[in-house]
Amino acid sequence: MKVPLSWLREYVDLPAATAHEVADRLTMAGLKLESITSYGHDVKNVVVGEVLEIEELTGFKKPIRHCKVEVGEATPREIVCGATNFVAGDRVPVVLPGGVLPGGFEVGARKTYGRMSEGMICSERELGLGDDHNGIMVLPAGTPIGTDVVELLGLRDDVIELEITPDIGYALSVRGVAREVATAFGVAFRDPADVEVPAETEPSWPASIGDPTACDRFVLREVRGFDPAAQSPLWMRVRLSRAGMRPVSLAVDITNYLMLELGQPLHAFDRSKLTGEIVVRRAREGERLETLDHVVRELDPDDILITDQSGPISMAGTMGGLETEISDGSTDIVIEAAHFSATGISRESRRHGLVSEASKRFERGVDRELPLVASWRAVRMLAELGGATVQPGVTHAEVDVTPARIAIPAGHPSAVAGVPYSKEVVVGRLEQVGCLVTDGDDPAVREGGVDPTGVVTGGELAARLAVTGPDMITVTPPSWRPDLTDPNDLAEEVIRLEGYDRLPSVLPSAPAGAGLTEGQRLRRRVGRALAEGGYVEVLSYPFIGADDFDRLQLPADDARRRAMRLANPLSEDEPLMRTTLLPGLLKTLVRNVGRGFGDVALFETGAVYRPRENAPAAAPVLGVSRRPTEEELASIEAALPDQPLRVAVVLAGEFERSGWWGSGRQASWADAVQAARLVAAESRVELSISADQHEPWHPGRCAALYVGDTLVGHAGELHPRVIEAYGLPPRTAAMELELSRLESGMPGPVQAPPVSPYPVATQDVALVVPDFTPVADVEAALRDGAGELLESVRLFDVYAGEQVGEGNKSLAYTMRFRAAGRTLTVEETTAARDAAVAMAADRVGAQLRSA
């Protein structure tokens, strides 16, 4: 909304405030400033002149005229001009030598077309008054010669442009902004809508409301004998241009001017093109309308139309019809002003892609009391400026609407802001907005047992009233504020007018002993450990498509195929909530490889969404007028999916980089397993690993990850078909592990182990086992057999060849022994090692490898 400061001053007794000071006050009141544009402040030495003589110069490709112009000096000025729309005797604006036009354009005396030109005769565009550049601007005949044009035409002005949010539609008018400025400066406000409208009982053109849900007030007034050739006055054209609208014709300009001033859109019909009674109704199946933009539109049954006996003649509140538009020959005019459904106009505008100045206002809410006033002012201006005769009578069709009333404790704004406001301040600020405030709680305001504050119930209400005080007030919002429907809306008005800058910044005090939960600390530790291990964290969208299940080679009965479907997906290709982290990671890997990054190790931590058995098809949709009951919360919880937290990694290419120091090492399934070990180490749990077959991993290179008897994830090399389906590099490996299960198995606070001051004893042992024997089983047997003296056991070599026989493998371990209170003897260490070997032989058939 662009508002010229001079227009504001007509309705507000502003002190000597600059546009920037006004804008600052509006910003403090909650309106958003877009820009401030200054006009005419650099213009100087422009005066009114009278054309005395005109000499037509010949021999040029275009008309050139040499003029003598009287400008109130001792001798007339000689000026060369190319315009032909003026004659001798006309009064025109003249820039004298040394004068400056908008934009810093300086005019001097120079010789052109063989004659001396001492200045310049100006058009409207050259003076910054509009876009008209078709000819010279001709001033009224009686304009005094030599008068300063800047003062005469009001060229100096500042325009404040505001960004109007959907909840403050009243500010899409000079009237609304002027009221805010008057409140901000504490000065008087003169309402342009405060005019006396004659009490008329006779109808004008017949009209009725066919659908009360589409329109609740419809007003028609009529003028006859309008002069189609009448021009809009300069002051009106200037204001329209500076407010961002293009002047068209007097009739159209008047409706636009009043819309900008009052906020009430108006529409003018050519009376001679109307047939029969006008009815406001919804569209019927198959109806069409050619609008003013020459587009024939197929109408939707939900569209709001203005119709007569011929059918639709206008899309209400959006755009008029071409058939009844005002033309160059229109002399009899019917002015329409109405109050349409805000939601209806909003849907209609978006359905047809028609966003007009009228629809912007209607969809935000227009003052229901304006149609009578705005239509009366429109016909009066048509009479005064266009020579029309106002016909007696007015058509006023309306539907009864009960004014909204809101009962709140007087201390409610204080409870919301955390700042004490007295009852007098609250009442005073609400009355400044235009509300009618009465003492007491009106029981009729309460609906359905909702408490007076509209936001709290039961014991919470009692606690709130104990703080705010029991004084209740009943507030009736003004007709121009349809956005005030809730106690918190009223609280916001009090707070913003008192000043957002007066709200203290108070940091909440942290309760003692609070901090990160164990789960939050685990997630951070896991992220740091994987990052230190060479992985890069990514964040993928939690959405997947059904084709991801096929590319992962999941069986038809796999639980991961049961996914929650989004009601409004961002992409039709990914309408499901993810049940595994792998699709997002694999797509990110492909994207990186496609951009030349072939050596990639990625990880992601996030939730997956697994629908529960026998869960409701959809969660109930609850209102916001009160807190849900425990039963309603339980019904919502029952419809929600399980959301366990998981961590996953994918890696391809070189995991250890090659360079001048030597060749690197390709990533493999073992690195994916090691990533799981890193995560388990941060969780302080013992991870057991065994071979498994689980999609999407390779059936011979897949490891199942256990904590005790609980399966927590899988790791290994991906199946070749999965690699082909996603376009991944060969031998891509991945791991996915459920952090939620690890968290539940964590042993609690870390217990620092005792540190032994005695030396460690080391024993190496090589065991021959069948090649299908899991390494984890061998290690577990060694630990159980060695007993409490064993400090650690580490696999350092795996061998398969002729020396151990076909179908066997050799596993070499380093075993470290230490006692807490003494130095171990060789006999004790040897005995512990032998016990460990015996246990391995008993459990997995291991044999000591001979030298």
Side-chain angles (χ1 to χ4, degrees), residues 335-357:
I335 293 293
E336 166 248 309
H339 185 260
F340 298 113
S341 163
T343 55
I345 298 301
S346 177
R347 291 169 182 166
E348 177 180 280
S349 172
R350 281 153 181 76
R351 186 181 302 116
H352 293 279
L354 281 176
V355 179
S356 62
E357 292 294 329

Side-chain angles (χ1 to χ4, degrees), residues 535-540 583-604 650-653 657 726-729 732:
Y535 292 86
V536 176
E537 185 174 15
V538 298
L539 293 174
S540 305
L585 277 171
L586 297 181
K587 292 172 185 176
T588 304
L589 174 61
V590 170
R591 191 177 302 113
N592 279 271
V593 172
R595 283 160 174 73
F597 299 97
D599 305 319
V600 185
L602 308 174
F603 83 94
E604 180 174 10
V650 295
L651 56 161
R657 301 291 187 265
Y726 278 99
L728 302 169
T732 296

Side-chain angles (χ1 to χ4, degrees), residues 655-726:
F655 191 67
E656 294 178 1
R657 301 291 187 265
S658 58
W660 59 265
W661 53 84
S663 59
R665 181 178 62 80
Q666 291 291 312
S668 70
W669 62 268
D671 296 302
V673 173
Q674 180 59 24
R677 293 184 185 276
L678 287 175
V679 174
E682 296 300 326
S683 307
R684 304 191 305 278
V685 297
E686 193 71 28
L687 197 65
S688 299
I689 301 171
S690 62
D692 196 7
Q693 294 187 15
H694 187 72
E695 293 77 7
W697 283 273
H698 191 294
R701 302 188 183 99
C702 174
L705 311 174
Y706 287 89
V707 174
D709 295 330
T710 302
L711 178 67
V712 294
H714 289 84
E717 182 181 313
L718 292 175
H719 196 289
R721 292 178 183 172
V722 175
I723 292 175
E724 181 181 1
Y726 278 99

Side-chain angles (χ1 to χ4, degrees), residues 296-568:
V296 178
R297 302 185 183 276
E298 301 288 341
L299 301 175
D300 187 272
D302 198 38
D303 289 341
I304 303 174
L305 301 180
I306 298 174
T307 66
D308 63 6
Q309 289 183 358
S310 67
I313 58 174
S314 176
M315 294 177 64
T318 306
M319 185 173 286
L322 187 64
E323 190 64 30
T324 56
E325 75 168 330
I326 300 295
S327 64
D328 293 340
S330 298
T331 58
D332 298 340
I333 297 173
V334 174
I335 293 293
E336 166 248 309
H339 185 260
F340 298 113
S341 163
T343 55
I345 298 301
S346 177
R347 291 169 182 166
E348 177 180 280
S349 172
R350 281 153 181 76
R351 186 181 302 116
H352 293 279
L354 281 176
V355 179
S356 62
E357 292 294 329
S359 69
K360 288 179 185 177
R361 288 162 173 80
F362 276 122
E363 68 185 17
R364 286 167 170 80
V366 171
D367 185 353
R368 187 176 181 273
E369 301 302 322
L370 276 179
L372 284 170
V373 173
S375 61
W376 172 247
R377 286 198 56 193
V379 296
R380 290 300 306 160
M381 293 180 75
L382 288 171
E384 294 168 3
L385 302 176
T389 301
V390 179
Q391 296 300 299
V394 57
T395 298
H396 182 197
E398 65 174 329
V399 177
D400 288 338
V401 176
T402 303
R405 287 183 294 170
I406 309 167
I408 64 170
H412 182 61
S414 300
V416 172
V419 174
Y421 300 124
S422 67
K423 181 178 179 180
E424 290 72 21
V425 168
V426 172
V427 173
R429 288 302 188 183
L430 292 177
E431 288 178 343
Q432 277 186 318
V433 174
C435 297
L436 174 64
V437 184
T438 57
D439 282 329
D441 175 15
D442 186 350
V445 177
R446 306 190 189 191
E447 297 181 3
V450 177
D451 67 85
T453 66
V455 291
V456 291
T457 56
E460 189 179 351
L461 173 60
R464 173 79 53 95
L465 291 178
V467 176
T468 62
D471 286 345
M472 299 294 296
I473 56 175
T474 298
V475 182
T476 303
S479 58
W480 59 83
R481 292 298 303 271
D483 57 301
L484 301 181
T485 60
D486 183 87
N488 289 327
D489 295 333
L490 302 179
E492 181 183 2
E493 292 300 302
V494 175
I495 295 167
R496 75 177 182 87
L497 293 180
E498 280 295 296
Y500 290 124
D501 57 318
R502 295 174 62 182
L503 296 178
S505 297
V506 180
L507 291 175
S509 57
L516 297 177
T517 65
E518 188 61 33
Q520 291 170 329
R521 286 196 289 267
L522 172 61
R523 183 168 179 174
R524 294 191 179 189
R525 290 200 306 270
V526 166
R528 283 195 296 267
L530 289 174
E532 291 168 358
Y535 292 86
V536 176
E537 185 174 15
V538 298
L539 293 174
S540 305
Y541 282 117
F543 313 124
I544 59 175
D547 59 331
D548 283 308
F549 301 140
D550 297 330
R551 288 193 280 182
L552 290 175
Q553 308 296 311
L554 301 186
D557 59 348
D558 195 296
R560 287 170 289 179
R561 283 186 176 269
R562 293 186 61 246
M564 301 288 291
R565 181 172 292 274
L566 293 166
N568 187 23

Side-chain angles (χ1 to χ4, degrees), residues 65-144:
R65 312 169 94 189
H66 180 254
C67 309
K68 287 187 177 181
V69 184
E70 173 64 50
V71 292
E73 297 178 337
T75 58
R77 294 279 184 173
E78 296 184 6
I79 300 175
V80 175
C81 181
T84 60
N85 67 311
F86 63 96
V87 296
D90 282 345
R91 304 287 170 94
V92 294
V94 179
V95 187
L96 299 178
V100 180
L101 290 176
F105 178 69
E106 188 172 347
V107 176
R110 64 191 182 95
K111 190 172 184 179
T112 179
Y113 296 102
R115 301 294 181 93
M116 179 60 67
S117 182
E118 302 173 304
M120 175 179 169
I121 306 175
C122 303
S123 67
E124 288 186 11
R125 190 172 73 176
E126 289 162 343
L127 291 174
L129 295 174
D131 295 329
D132 188 2
H133 195 55
N134 295 324
I136 293 303
M137 180 180 181
V138 179
L139 300 172
T143 307

